[in-house]
Amino acid sequence: MLMGSPKQTINQYKNKPFQHLPGRFSRSIRWLSPGLSIKRWLFLSAIGVILTSLGLAILVRLTPIFYVIQFLESALRFAARLLPRQVSGPLVILLGLFLVWWGQTRTLGSITEVLSPDSQDEVVDRLLVHRRLNRGPKIVVVGGGTGLSTLLRGLKSYSANITAIVTVADDGGSSGRLRREIGGLPPGDIRNCIAALADQEKLITALFQYRFQAGDGLAGHSFGNLFLTAMSEITEGWEQAIAASSQVLAIRGQVLPATLSDVSLWADLEDGRCIEGESNITAAGGRIVRVGCTPDCPPALPKAIQSIIDADLIILGPGSLYTSVVPNLLVPEIVEAIARRTVPRIYVCNIMSQPGETDGYTVADHVKALDAACGKRIFDAVLVQKKLPSSMALARYMQENAHPIVIDREMLMRLGCRVILANVMDEDPSTQYVRHSPERLARVLLRWYGRVNRMDHPNHA
């Protein structure tokens, strides 16, 4: 169970430095804040100016230096006669510092006005955030659906080194239509992850998520799905199309498909039926025994494997167990890559069951399903919602034959699975639906990661 709020690196630089100082002085000083990598380049520029001046002086036989020294000597003698050195010295120092401050303030102010005319603070704020996020841990998240994009929306506040490995088995809705009519990968989950890692206030992000409501052939499609599909034709590859789209939205991290193969999901049900197609599995309404894909053992995207190898933290889920999380684990190279890592690895369990997919499931049932899909345990702990939803929310879900995922501690102990309990839920008061909170979920995961790191490396705590 998670307790307390341990101090760690995820809270660094949360407050704006020097924010208590007034006006232009505060803005100028903040350019010298630690971590911006500005001071070293200003100092290097000053050295360059001095060396250039010396070089010119040498080129003209040192004549300017001689006259400058003579002038300075005369000026210093005159100043010493007028004022004692205890007064004239500090005055000259203050004058020099003032000129340096004024020059740098005007220079940086001009740059700020060009890059951010509406806000003088925005550029330095962006630099501070950029430096902090770039020092964040390398996080790999494996999954799909709305659960994955929800988690990414919270994680991007802690790190820019995020890799989302996304399932490509979706065959319903706009993605399924594009997949059947044009071919290639289903873009829906990829689009949602790109949008989640982008700046949500940007107009381009809202455009990317826009869904057409009318029009022959357009109704039901999102602009982002069409954009990604068109980009894949222009760039001659989905990997390049996703990278180019990510650049357009300036996302924090990267989004990668688990495989570039045309994967179709199938499931064996307890009643003997075999259901083909991701969208048909949930609709079939039976208890799932086994999930597989065609073609069998699809090859992983090499960049996805490299991201797992480089990761500091690996997260599975949240999302639909059999149609969002497990499909990624049907790629054997991804399973093996995760299994070989010794970094913190955690599975985020869903809050509520999903009708037609996890009816009657407990937390242990989720763990056993993942173990069966992988052939081994590939995570160290499971994160579970601590508190139950409200009675109104429970009543709403009962109408849809859904229930909270039961925490069966004894079975989990027998499975050797560590459980992390935390309140990571948001409840919509108007609809009574519950979802993972992006902020709470990300905060709990990063705290757990920091605590595990301190336990593994006590000398660095």
Side-chain angles (χ1 to χ4, degrees):
M1 176 176 176
L2 275 176
M3 298 291 291
S5 301
K7 295 179 181 178
Q8 52 186 315
T9 56
I10 63 171
N11 292 319
Q12 289 181 345
Y13 308 107
K14 280 290 184 182
N15 298 321
K16 298 179 181 178
F18 311 111
Q19 61 182 356
H20 60 285
L21 297 176
R24 176 176 291 184
F25 185 72
S26 172
R27 291 192 293 269
S28 304
I29 290 296
R30 288 175 59 208
W31 279 103
L32 304 179
S33 301
L36 280 180
S37 298
I38 293 292
K39 299 181 294 296
R40 67 190 70 173
W41 304 119
L42 293 177
F43 179 70
L44 190 62
S45 299
I47 293 176
V49 170
I50 294 172
L51 291 177
T52 302
S53 302
L54 289 175
L56 291 172
I58 294 171
L59 187 63
V60 294
R61 299 182 181 180
L62 305 181
T63 303
I65 291 182
F66 173 75
Y67 286 119
V68 167
I69 293 175
Q70 273 194 332
F71 172 77
L72 291 176
E73 183 180 0
S74 301
L76 289 173
R77 285 179 179 175
F78 178 75
R81 284 197 299 270
L82 291 178
L83 296 170
R85 61 183 178 82
Q86 292 85 354
V87 177
S88 58
L91 283 176
V92 173
I93 292 173
L94 289 174
L95 177 62
L97 291 175
F98 171 75
L99 293 175
V100 171
W101 169 79
W102 191 28
Q104 295 300 333
T105 298
R106 300 298 296 178
T107 300
L108 297 175
S110 299
I111 294 173
T112 301
E113 288 177 7
V114 172
L115 296 180
S116 182
D118 297 329
S119 173
Q120 291 184 335
D121 291 325
E122 191 173 350
V123 173
V124 66
D125 290 341
R126 287 181 178 180
L127 284 172
L128 285 168
V129 170
H130 176 77
R131 296 293 296 177
R132 175 177 63 84
L133 294 179
N134 280 350
R135 288 193 292 267
K138 296 178 181 177
I139 305 172
V140 169
V141 187
V142 181
T146 57
L148 179 58
S149 57
T150 296
L151 173 57
L152 295 177
R153 199 170 289 112
L155 288 177
K156 71 177 183 180
S157 297
Y158 295 93
S159 178
N161 304 310
I162 302 171
T163 298
I165 299 178
V166 187
T167 175
V168 291
D170 187 11
D171 62 0
S174 170
S175 293
R177 287 168 57 191
L178 289 170
R179 190 176 180 183
R180 289 188 295 272
E181 295 170 8
I182 300 176
L185 301 182
D189 286 349
I190 296 170
R191 181 200 80 241
N192 286 330
C193 290
I194 291 175
L197 289 173
D199 184 351
Q200 293 299 301
E201 294 180 357
K202 288 185 177 180
L203 180 61
I204 188 67
T205 305
L207 176 65
F208 210 65
Q209 292 288 69
Y210 175 77
R211 191 173 295 275
F212 293 95
Q213 302 299 323
D216 293 339
L218 280 177
H221 282 303
S222 72
F223 176 82
N225 285 359
L226 298 175
F227 182 90
L228 282 166
T229 303
M231 189 67 78
S232 70
E233 297 288 335
I234 295 172
T235 59
E236 298 183 355
W238 274 94
E239 186 176 356
Q240 295 85 351
I242 296 168
S245 302
S246 300
Q247 289 179 356
V248 170
L249 272 71
I251 73 169
R252 297 174 185 172
Q254 61 178 344
V255 178
L256 302 173
T259 178
L260 295 177
S261 298
D262 184 13
V263 173
S264 178
L265 211 60
W266 55 262
D268 288 334
L269 305 186
E270 195 172 48
D271 58 13
R273 288 180 294 165
C274 180
I275 307 299
E276 296 184 1
E278 182 265 349
S279 59
N280 297 324
I281 292 174
T282 302
R287 187 173 181 86
I288 297 171
V289 176
R290 186 166 67 104
V291 171
C293 67
T294 305
D296 191 29
C297 301
L301 186 71
K303 285 186 69 175
I305 300 301
Q306 189 60 50
S307 296
I308 295 172
I309 293 172
D310 297 335
D312 298 317
L313 170 64
I314 299 173
I315 304 169
L316 303 177
S320 301
L321 176 62
Y322 287 109
T323 54
S324 291
V325 180
V326 168
N328 295 286
L329 306 179
L330 299 177
V331 182
E333 293 170 277
I334 289 180
V335 172
E336 292 304 318
I338 296 175
R340 285 195 297 266
R341 297 309 317 277
T342 57
V343 299
R345 303 165 301 176
I346 190 168
Y347 166 60
V348 181
C349 189
N350 287 342
I351 300 172
M352 305 296 294
S353 66
Q354 185 171 353
E357 189 164 337
T358 54
D359 297 285
Y361 269 44
T362 64
V363 175
D365 290 328
H366 282 75
V367 172
K368 288 188 284 187
L370 291 172
D371 290 349
C374 300
K376 64 186 77 174
R377 178 71 52 77
I378 64 168
F379 51 91
D380 309 307
V382 55
L383 174 60
V384 184
Q385 166 62 22
K386 179 181 179 181
K387 298 179 180 178
L388 288 173
S390 69
S391 57
M392 294 180 64
L394 291 176
R396 175 64 180 267
Y397 276 99
M398 284 183 63
Q399 296 175 2
E400 301 176 4
N401 296 319
H403 62 83
I405 304 298
V406 176
I407 307 170
D408 44 350
R409 297 175 183 270
E410 292 185 5
M411 179 58 71
L412 288 166
M413 288 179 63
R414 286 200 291 269
L415 291 173
C417 185
R418 182 183 177 190
V419 180
I420 309 298
L421 295 176
N423 183 25
V424 291
M425 180 183 70
D426 271 343
E427 183 172 328
D428 189 330
S430 60
T431 63
Q432 275 76 55
Y433 281 118
V434 299
R435 297 288 185 269
H436 280 103
S437 164
E439 296 79 15
R440 292 177 184 175
L441 182 57
R443 184 167 60 248
V444 168
L445 288 169
L446 267 295
R447 284 178 177 172
W448 175 78
Y449 162 74
R451 188 173 64 179
V452 171
N453 267 357
R454 284 195 298 276
M455 292 172 61
D456 292 342
H457 307 92
N459 294 331
H460 298 284

